[in-house]
Amino acid sequence: MRPAGDTSHIGTQGRNSSRPHPAPGATAREAPVAGSGRLDGDDGESFPGIARPVSNFGGTSWGRVDLVEATRRSINTAYIELGIEVGPAEVAETAHAAGIPDERPLASADGSVEAGIALGSYEVQVIDQAVGYAPFANRGVPV
């Protein structure tokens, strides 16, 4: 029995919950690290497989950005582009390798993984998200 008020078991769409997970796959491919300015940071960009244009907070367009700038400013369009480049299924695989349990499906009902995973489009529990982020603070080692 859970104590009153314990919501740790409830799944929620973790906005930005998968945001760090495209980066390891990208850096392994010599992706847009500091100074490269290779990712599209403009608001309202259209991407394959996404029904409507992707917006950035406040409708801000940032121009070409690198991964550091995209992370610092939480630029949705840059992360969607990165997730597509890395491959949505690989983003899910990286999230699972980082510690999000395999029992937590990071895929649609038909098994496909959508590009929105780069922004956290799949439901995770708070504890899953914390465990999935831990390797970034633990020198790449899952906890």
Side-chain angles (χ1 to χ4, degrees):
M1 173 169 259
R2 298 181 191 279
D6 178 3
T7 59
S8 62
H9 64 287
I10 297 173
T12 62
Q13 182 180 352
R15 193 74 176 132
N16 299 325
S17 63
S18 293
R19 188 159 290 200
H21 298 121
T27 54
R29 291 181 175 77
E30 298 180 24
V33 293
S36 71
R38 196 165 75 56
L39 294 170
D40 188 344
D42 286 339
D43 184 64
E45 292 298 309
S46 295
F47 295 95
I50 298 179
R52 53 184 193 186
V54 176
S55 298
N56 293 324
F57 180 75
T60 304
S61 289
W62 298 99
R64 304 303 293 175
V65 297
D66 59 31
L67 185 56
V68 173
E69 188 73 7
T71 303
R72 180 177 354 154
R73 298 193 182 279
S74 194
I75 301 172
N76 292 339
T77 53
Y79 265 90
I80 287 287
E81 180 181 354
L82 182 61
I84 290 170
E85 180 181 307
V86 168
E90 188 168 325
V91 174
E93 185 178 313
T94 301
H96 285 299
I100 294 190
D102 290 336
E103 302 81 49
R104 177 71 51 201
L106 297 175
S108 298
D110 65 2
S112 65
V113 182
E114 299 172 2
I117 190 170
L119 301 180
S121 61
Y122 297 105
E123 201 173 85
V124 295
Q125 293 178 352
V126 174
I127 190 67
D128 297 337
Q129 188 170 351
V131 170
Y133 273 38
F136 295 95
N138 197 32
R139 298 182 176 170
V141 180
V143 295

